[in-house]
Amino acid sequence: MTTEKYVAISPTEPCGMCGYIWQVLRTIYSIPNEKYYIDFSNCIYKSGVDNINTWDHFFHQPDIDFIESIDQVKLVSGTIFSEDNEFIHELIQPNTKENVQKRREEYNDIIKRNLKLKDNIQLKLDNFTKLNFDGNKILGLHIRATDHPHRNDDDKEEIIKEVESRLEDYDKLFVCSDEQEKFLNVKNYFGDKVIFYDALRSSSNKPLHSHPIYNQSGRNNDENYQYKIAEDVIMESYLMSKTDFLICTTGSNVNYLSRALNPNLPSMVLWKGDIIL
């Protein structure tokens, strides 16, 4: 009897949830046309006492629900970093809009074939979309702050100015941020125009989505909390992909995922001042 072989993908670098997802996508891009099993047992979104594969909490497995024998494993792969599989738009070579668009479409194809949300997550996504997005033209805003290298304490006016210049053409503003203060700056300024997902956010410039050994503000070891912050960022990334135009204050794994989920989503990166169609 022939045992079917699978590539077991187990991310090797501690990062946020969308960073883990990108490690998976990079590997599939680099090792295509295989059957895969994705293992997030060692990711940072753990209570410290459970043995659950965190991937299975949010996504169906692409090809097999459980690896029962080492004989089923063709290859164990961690993160594959290569210019050839780059998803960070400004690092794609040659760096043309055509090449960026091609890479977004390539990763979108991988997502469609390998990332299927669990029914309860999909239901939350559908319900939020129906309640808040349907019938409205949505401007999206992603403010990546906390520990990001391009975080700027003085960017409030720049963000407000960019949103104001576009918002009259939209019905609602969907705002996502990992930092509570920056989120509230926009929410309070634009008032009833703002819609948002009820996500946990950092009350300081320390990230929630970071390894617990770094002792980041607000993070704790509770299982429900760990899954909550992971689910929140998945939901926000998927919801941003459903907007009509996305303003990104900087590139991040979160909004790169949004732009791969919807390769035709027009967007701009504020700190670069460019528009990626």
Side-chain angles (χ1 to χ4, degrees):
M1 180 178 177
T2 301
T3 300
E4 192 153 27
K5 299 285 188 178
Y6 298 85
V7 173
I9 304 174
S10 184
T12 53
E13 300 216 354
C15 57
M17 190 64 189
C18 288
Y20 281 121
I21 293 171
W22 270 115
Q23 291 186 52
V24 169
L25 298 178
R26 278 182 181 271
T27 300
I28 295 175
Y29 187 95
S30 302
I31 310 174
N33 305 316
E34 300 284 353
K35 292 186 179 296
Y36 307 97
Y37 175 75
I38 300 168
D39 184 7
F40 277 16
S41 295
N42 294 319
C43 81
I44 65 173
Y45 297 95
K46 306 289 287 183
S47 69
V49 297
D50 67 78
N51 294 313
I52 297 172
N53 178 355
T54 303
W55 177 271
D56 295 334
H57 200 82
F58 306 108
F59 297 97
H60 293 280
Q61 289 287 341
D63 297 297
I64 188 173
D65 289 337
F66 188 75
I67 295 288
E68 298 180 353
S69 168
I70 192 65
D71 294 334
Q72 295 174 277
V73 179
K74 178 178 183 178
L75 173 70
V76 177
S77 178
T79 309
I80 299 175
F81 289 105
S82 167
E83 180 180 294
D84 295 333
N85 73 3
E86 188 56 73
F87 67 87
I88 298 174
H89 296 162
E90 56 266 31
L91 298 183
I92 293 172
Q93 296 298 323
N95 192 236
T96 64
K97 287 186 176 181
E98 291 75 18
N99 255 11
V100 170
Q101 182 63 32
K102 179 174 180 290
R103 193 62 53 86
R104 287 173 68 180
E105 291 171 357
E106 290 170 335
Y107 273 115
N108 178 256
D109 184 60
I110 292 172
I111 290 169
K112 287 191 293 187
R113 288 186 286 109
N114 296 283
L115 268 66
K116 183 181 178 184
L117 292 169
K118 286 292 182 73
D119 291 349
N120 63 312
I121 307 297
Q122 185 65 56
L123 181 61
K124 290 181 183 181
L125 183 65
D126 292 342
N127 286 343
F128 187 96
T129 301
K130 182 177 181 180
L131 180 64
N132 296 282
F133 285 15
D134 286 3
N136 290 314
K137 187 177 181 183
I138 307 294
L139 178 64
L141 172 64
H142 182 231
I143 307 172
R144 175 62 170 92
T146 62
D147 65 332
H148 198 280
H150 294 103
R151 180 187 187 275
N152 186 349
D153 285 322
D154 301 318
D155 62 2
K156 176 182 175 180
E157 290 185 7
E158 185 180 6
I159 294 171
I160 296 295
K161 181 179 178 181
E162 185 61 44
V163 171
E164 277 190 318
S165 72
R166 297 178 181 275
L167 192 53
E168 65 179 20
D169 295 325
Y170 296 85
D171 300 304
K172 293 290 182 179
L173 173 65
F174 179 61
V175 183
C176 300
S177 180
D178 57 336
E179 188 173 320
Q180 180 73 351
E181 181 181 358
K182 289 183 176 292
F183 164 75
L184 289 176
N185 284 340
V186 175
K187 179 178 180 292
N188 293 336
Y189 189 91
F190 291 103
D192 292 342
K193 276 274 194 175
V194 173
I195 53 178
F196 60 93
Y197 187 73
D198 188 20
L200 291 171
R201 301 177 183 87
S202 175
S203 59
S204 70
N205 62 358
K206 295 181 179 181
L208 301 182
H209 298 267
S210 184
H211 199 287
I213 65 172
Y214 301 132
N215 192 28
Q216 301 296 357
S217 172
R219 191 173 182 122
N220 62 59
N221 205 40
D222 177 72
E223 178 180 343
N224 291 330
Y225 174 89
Q226 298 293 332
Y227 289 140
K228 166 67 173 166
I229 59 174
E231 180 180 307
D232 286 350
V233 75
I234 291 170
M235 286 289 296
E236 288 190 321
S237 188
Y238 272 74
L239 288 168
M240 284 193 294
S241 77
K242 297 177 179 295
T243 62
D244 295 287
F245 188 94
L246 180 61
I247 300 171
C248 309
T249 58
T250 185
S252 85
N253 288 318
V254 179
N255 63 57
Y256 286 126
L257 180 58
S258 298
R259 291 181 279 175
L261 285 162
N262 180 0
N264 297 314
L265 171 64
S267 63
M268 72 169 297
V269 182
L270 192 58
W271 66 270
K272 287 185 65 181
D274 64 356
I275 295 178
I276 303 171
L277 301 176

